[in-house]
């Protein structure tokens, strides 16, 4: 068994991996307050790193490579951010280190599904766009197909547009990878492509990466099932589901949320669940949604991409006006509710 001191020494040449590893340790120790689901995800990572005869191996080189690539890309929104290279926070490095660092004995990735559940304005879409470009350009997949899926055109462009802007703001990237950027597609010379997808696209796609944006808005699982069935020809595909909580506890997104809770708590553990990654921010049941201190607990990018003043104002408005409460709980605290409006 490897202790945490030895792990830090192993990661010595990989500073991003060290940050991701230390983030997990800080969450587990309580230094960084978080809900039980996040604590469980961090604990799962530490336990897996120390497991004897575990089927999967963590490769810090692959994790570091993905994070380095993403940090070469530019921000596309936000005063003081536009044009500057992305600087991933430790919690974001933890996500990418886990997804891209774990491999099977054949060298292909361990995780073929990932659920990222976090409140609005915590950088979901731009990070998904960056992951899309990494898997399109640097993953070594011939004829890679990357799709940004959503229930409507506007939402699908929330991920695709940042990817397109990133390419246009990095001429060296376009030249190096021989990239052609169009209004609704990013295409490589070998036929690899990234495109937005709306609703149920039908069969025919062979996705290397399928991003499901705002999964809670999907009334059924047809797009997810289309993505999964199309991935059969790929060696290391990924279904990346990013979302806030929602108002329909009969939705496929809520089912996936509960499934991931069972995986993180160890209730559901088998060969298939070992290949699902989940990081789900929010509050615990006993936490008061009216306590401003819990805003930081639910929002990992508190004070960075989501402003403290904005969240406090939204909280005060929800306290004053009950009809705003459920929207506030789902969008800014990541709490599932069973109605859009509370009266």
């Amino acid at each position: 068994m490897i202790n945490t001191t030895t792990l830090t020494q192993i990661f010595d040449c990989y500073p991003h991996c060290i940050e991701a590893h230390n983030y997990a340790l800080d969450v587990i120790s309580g230094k960084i307050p978080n809900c039980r689901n996040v604590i469980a995800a961090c604990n799962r990572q530490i336990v897996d790193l120390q497991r004897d005869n575990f089927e999967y191996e963590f490769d810090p080189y692959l994790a570091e490579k993905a994070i380095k690539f993403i940090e070469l890309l530019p921000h596309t929104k936000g005063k003081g951010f536009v044009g500057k290279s992305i600087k991933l926070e430790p919690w974001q490095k933890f996500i990418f280190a886990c997804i891209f660092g774990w491999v099977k004995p054949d060298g292909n990735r361990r995780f073929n599904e990932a659920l990222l559940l976090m409140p609005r304005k915590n950088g979901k879409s731009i990070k998904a766009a960056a992951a899309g470009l990494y898997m399109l350009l640097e993953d070594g997949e011939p004829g890679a197909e990357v799709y940004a899926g959503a229930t409507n055109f506007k939402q699908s462009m929330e991920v695709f547009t940042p990817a397109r802007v990133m390419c246009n703001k990095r001429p060296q990237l376009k030249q190096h990878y021989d990239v052609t950027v169009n209004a609704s597609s990013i295409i490589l010379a070998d036929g690899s492509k990234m495109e937005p997808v709306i609703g149920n696209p039908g069969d025919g796609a062979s996705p290397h990466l399928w991003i499901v944006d705002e999964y809670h808005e999907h009334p059924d699982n047809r797009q997810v099932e289309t993505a999964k069935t199309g991935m059969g020809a790929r060696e290391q595909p990924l279904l990346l589901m990013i979302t806030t909580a929602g108002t329909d506890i009969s939705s496929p997104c809520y089912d996936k949320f509960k499934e991931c809770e069972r995986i993180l708590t160890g209730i559901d553990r088998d060969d298939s669940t070992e290949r699902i990654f989940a990081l789900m921010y929010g509050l615990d049941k006993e936490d008061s949604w009216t306590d401003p201190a819990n805003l930081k607990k639910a929002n990992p990018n508190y004070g960075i991409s989501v402003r403290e003043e904005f969240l406090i104002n939204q909280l005060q408005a929800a306290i004053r006006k009950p009809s705003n409460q459920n929207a506030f709980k789902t969008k800014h605290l990541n709490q599932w509710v069973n109605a859009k409006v509370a009266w």
Side-chain angles (χ1 to χ4, degrees), residues 50-61:
Q50 300 179 77
R51 286 172 68 175
D52 292 325
N53 302 316
F54 190 35
E55 179 183 359
Y56 305 101
E57 178 183 354
F58 185 80
D59 187 335
Y61 171 79

Side-chain angles (χ1 to χ4, degrees), residues 208-228:
H208 179 50
L209 169 65
W210 195 299
I211 300 165
V212 180
D213 195 16
E214 295 300 0
Y215 188 22
H216 76 275
E217 293 182 354
H218 289 240
D220 54 53
N221 231 19
R222 286 185 296 172
Q223 187 175 119
V224 168
E225 291 304 322
T226 296
K228 288 182 178 181

Side-chain angles (χ1 to χ4, degrees), residues 92-131:
Q92 294 164 330
K93 292 181 181 182
F94 174 76
I95 293 171
F96 291 118
C98 291
I99 291 175
F100 293 108
W102 282 102
V103 293
K104 300 185 294 181
D106 61 7
N108 290 322
R109 268 188 298 275
R110 166 190 178 181
F111 293 116
N112 54 24
E113 287 187 33
L115 176 65
L116 305 181
L117 193 74
M118 61 195 68
R120 292 194 67 195
K121 304 304 179 183
N122 281 273
K124 295 189 303 296
S125 296
I126 192 169
K127 302 308 180 292

Side-chain angles (χ1 to χ4, degrees), residues 136 178-182 185-189 191-195:
L136 176 71
D178 195 10
V179 173
T180 300
V181 180
N182 301 312
S185 64
I186 299 170
I187 302 174
L188 276 61
S192 297
K193 61 182 180 179
M194 181 174 184
E195 296 176 341

